[in-house]
Amino acid sequence: MGAPDAARWKATWKQGSGTTLPSSGVVQLVMPELWLRWAPEGGTPRELSCGVAVPACLLAVDGAVRVDLLGLWMETPPTDGNDRTVLKRVLVPRLLKRGGDLLKALRLPAQRFLGQPMDLTPSLVDVTDRYLVVATGPRPDPAPVSAVDWPTGKEVFCLVAPALVKRLVNAAAQQEADKHEPVVDVDETLTGVLQATLQAYFRGLKDLRVDARDPTRLTAGVDIAWKGGVTLFPIARGEGCALVEATQNM
């Protein structure tokens, strides 16, 4: 993860006309040893074995992660001028193009979160420290995302936009409501006096709002349906407290 240092970038055979490293999203494919053997027709074979690094830039383009190869660095490039020309002008550009074509258009498959299908579109790719960060949004029009100070010191972290938080929380609430199971289920008996039942069913959230400045703060109305009943046991008149006698006359 990360861009090559200035000395390595200066010695890199650049692809195309680019001479400046991108400011973000740069990675390197490092091969400790690459062995090459080539020869002109009817000529003496040439061999080369050295360390190689290929810097590349990660981009979010048209809903996919794309890898653009920036060039090739060789630890000990050939000293012969003709060999250098063949590698630099013929072989290396074609290898870079093939590699770039193979790595382009990487896409994220559709996911299911809390029972709800969600097609996430990459809207930004960045590299910081030893982390690769891919910011995504729901199709078809992900909100624009800009680079920020990404969290550090965490092996895995997730950055979630308020709109996505709202969608996921609503989906979780609906999934719970669709179970049609009581969240409160009480059946109590007071021996000789009464039996009371109470059930409550969660029906969903109303007017869910996510704080734009702090997506961890949510407010909503909770729709709960209550059902209950009280059965009074018969007690002989003149016995028991005044409250019980009064309820028997209701």
Side-chain angles (χ1 to χ4, degrees):
M1 299 295 179
D5 57 34
R8 176 171 290 189
W9 176 245
K10 184 178 179 180
T12 296
W13 293 347
K14 281 77 171 179
Q15 183 177 22
S17 57
T19 59
T20 304
L21 272 173
S23 58
S24 64
V26 179
V27 296
Q28 298 179 77
L29 172 62
V30 178
M31 292 170 280
E33 184 175 2
L34 176 67
W35 180 78
L36 297 174
R37 185 176 188 272
W38 71 98
E41 186 175 357
T44 303
R46 305 279 204 275
E47 292 187 2
L48 174 68
S49 178
C50 67
V52 171
V54 180
C57 182
L58 306 179
L59 302 170
V61 179
D62 297 330
V65 177
R66 194 178 78 195
V67 183
D68 285 350
L69 303 182
L70 303 175
L72 182 140
W73 171 86
M74 305 185 77
E75 185 178 20
T76 53
T79 57
D80 182 83
N82 291 330
D83 291 345
R84 289 174 65 90
T85 299
V86 169
L87 285 173
K88 188 173 182 179
R89 303 296 183 188
V90 180
L91 182 60
V92 169
R94 282 161 176 75
L95 289 175
L96 292 177
K97 184 179 185 303
R98 290 297 183 185
D101 289 342
L102 290 173
L103 294 173
K104 285 180 180 178
L106 299 177
R107 296 182 180 274
L108 296 177
Q111 306 290 322
R112 291 189 67 86
F113 293 101
L114 303 168
Q116 183 180 21
M118 188 170 296
D119 198 355
L120 298 178
T121 302
S123 54
L124 179 141
V125 180
D126 200 1
V127 174
T128 177
D129 190 18
R130 56 195 177 94
Y131 299 106
L132 168 64
V133 181
V134 180
T136 66
R139 289 182 184 273
D141 184 23
V145 180
S146 58
V148 297
D149 292 331
W150 306 113
T152 58
K154 302 290 186 182
E155 292 299 326
V156 179
F157 58 86
C158 180
L159 305 173
V160 186
L164 188 56
V165 170
K166 184 175 181 178
R167 184 172 176 181
L168 293 178
V169 171
N170 270 324
Q174 187 60 48
Q175 188 180 57
E176 189 66 27
D178 289 344
K179 293 179 181 179
H180 303 293
E181 297 176 354
V183 294
V184 175
D185 192 355
V186 176
D187 187 346
E188 294 185 355
T189 299
L190 185 57
T191 305
V193 179
L194 59 84
Q195 181 182 26
T197 60
L198 178 63
Q199 291 180 324
Y201 294 86
F202 174 72
R203 288 184 171 176
L205 300 177
K206 291 184 176 181
D207 193 24
L208 175 64
R209 298 181 182 182
V210 182
D211 191 321
R213 293 172 297 180
D214 181 4
T216 63
R217 296 176 61 88
L218 298 89
T219 59
V222 180
D223 186 3
I224 295 180
W226 299 90
K227 180 175 67 174
V230 176
T231 300
L232 298 176
F233 297 140
I235 300 178
R237 291 189 177 276
E239 297 181 7
C241 67
L243 176 60
V244 173
E245 294 179 3
T247 56
Q248 288 180 332
N249 294 323
M250 292 174 60

